Amino acid sequence: MKYDLFVSDFDGTLVKADGTISEHTKQVIAKYRARGGIFTICTGRMVPSILPRARELGITSGPVIAFQGSVVYDMGTEQVLSSGHFPLQAALSLIRMLEAEKLHIHIYTVWHLYTNLRDEMLVLYEKVCGVKAEVPACPLSEFAEREKLDIVKVLVMVEPEKREALRERLSQRLGEEYYVTSSSDWLVEVMPAGENKGKAVTFLSGYYHIPQERIAAAGDQLNDLPMLEAAGGKFAVSNGVEALKRTATLIPSNEEDGVAYALEQYVMKGPSPEGGQQ
């Protein structure tokens, strides 16, 4: 096999729109792992959200990557191997700015989610991710300051037509100390600078002693771009954003088992291109 480790985004890449993973995809991943390959999920989701989905694939040990690469959790030992978070004052400054704009805000620690608004969008998010948000009685900034939270991610829920404008505005206002990205049409996510999925690939390379050129990655959104840039094999599902597809080998959509296709056609048989559409 050309690639010893395959890192896959979850939502929009591995999982279908209805929240399921096909039996074919599960079988192909099992076949890849039986041949000695290592399959790892790298997602923007929380640790509690992604763990049951990883187990659904038969993965019960080794790292799973959460929070856009910021948190690495070992499923076997049940230990956090690596965790990045905002300095508290930087997080408070960001949250207060978002509160001033009256936005729908989420703040995350490794194990908990807090929000300032319970609405239909939050209910859908909780259902998709399998987590429950807490709504403090006071503003999120006051709550975070009082509890001295170690915040790993801040997220804004927004209507899809407003997402890109908000992402660009936040990128310009926040500057180089923050990483602003998006993992779906209705989410804008802010991390400390340097906390991204590319960092996760570098971590996995060192953890497993596998050169990065022997690691492949697949994704669909802007937040997956650092991951693909750090990996030797670069794959983008056809339902992905154009910026990603321009830099990667195009594979079928998440609805058409794109990850399974990449494993079967490029990883477990024959040479695999390292970029450019096929």
Side-chain angles (χ1 to χ4, degrees):
M1 294 190 298
K2 187 175 177 83
Y3 301 112
D4 303 312
L5 196 159
F6 196 101
V7 188
S8 178
D9 170 55
F10 192 71
D11 296 286
T13 301
L14 185 62
V15 67
K16 296 176 181 291
D18 64 2
T20 63
I21 304 171
S22 77
E23 288 303 315
H24 176 64
T25 293
K26 292 177 184 178
Q27 291 167 7
V28 172
I29 291 172
K31 183 178 179 181
Y32 172 65
R33 296 178 67 228
R35 291 189 179 187
I38 300 167
F39 189 91
T40 302
I41 296 171
C42 185
T43 178
R45 290 192 184 207
M46 301 173 65
V47 174
S49 175
I50 199 58
L51 287 181
R53 305 311 305 268
R55 295 187 185 107
E56 184 181 334
L57 297 172
I59 302 172
T60 58
S61 63
V64 63
I65 315 296
F67 293 111
Q68 312 291 9
S70 180
V71 174
V72 183
Y73 180 82
D74 189 286
M75 296 182 66
T77 64
E78 299 184 346
Q79 298 293 318
V80 175
L81 301 179
S82 175
S83 176
H85 58 82
F86 287 101
L88 180 57
Q89 290 306 314
L92 294 176
S93 176
L94 168 62
I95 296 166
R96 288 167 181 148
M97 183 187 76
L98 299 175
E99 287 174 334
E101 294 196 25
K102 302 187 184 305
L103 296 168
H104 183 162
I105 309 161
H106 293 183
I107 61 175
Y108 300 79
T109 65
V110 171
W111 298 107
H112 296 95
L113 161 61
Y114 306 97
T115 183
N116 63 340
L117 180 63
R118 178 163 292 282
D119 60 7
E120 291 183 3
M121 291 178 70
L122 177 65
V123 172
L124 176 60
Y125 182 88
E126 290 176 325
K127 181 178 179 181
V128 168
C129 295
V131 297
K132 190 73 173 177
E134 299 178 43
V135 185
C138 61
L140 285 179
S141 55
E142 291 183 19
F143 178 76
E145 184 172 30
R146 185 184 72 216
E147 300 297 324
K148 296 181 171 54
L149 298 180
D150 288 331
I151 298 171
V152 297
K153 184 174 77 170
V154 175
L155 177 150
V156 178
M157 302 191 79
V158 64
E159 293 86 350
E161 64 272 16
K162 299 179 181 179
R163 183 201 71 171
E164 194 57 22
L166 176 62
R167 188 186 68 81
E168 292 183 0
R169 186 167 80 251
L170 290 180
S171 295
Q172 293 173 359
R173 290 184 63 180
L174 292 172
E176 296 181 354
E177 294 183 5
Y178 301 83
Y179 168 53
V180 184
T181 190
S182 179
S183 62
S184 85
D185 291 341
W186 43 297
L187 303 177
V188 175
E189 304 180 39
V190 186
M191 313 283 295
E195 300 294 336
N196 59 55
K197 292 188 177 187
K199 177 186 173 184
V201 172
T202 301
F203 178 90
L204 292 173
S205 176
Y207 185 85
Y208 285 112
H209 305 290
I210 296 174
Q212 287 180 220
E213 60 266 23
R214 293 191 63 83
I215 298 175
D220 72 310
Q221 286 286 343
L222 288 175
N223 63 320
D224 297 314
L225 189 57
M227 178 172 72
L228 268 62
E229 290 173 341
K234 313 172 195 300
F235 299 97
V237 287
S238 62
N239 54 291
V241 297
E242 290 302 318
L244 206 68
K245 292 191 284 187
R246 286 196 297 268
T247 65
T249 298
L250 191 63
I251 57 176
S253 74
N254 61 327
E255 300 296 329
E256 302 168 296
D257 297 344
V259 169
Y261 181 90
L263 288 169
E264 289 183 306
Q265 299 300 319
Y266 294 120
V267 177
M268 291 192 288
K269 110 176 171 178
S272 173
E274 297 181 2
Q277 295 188 17
Q278 297 296 306

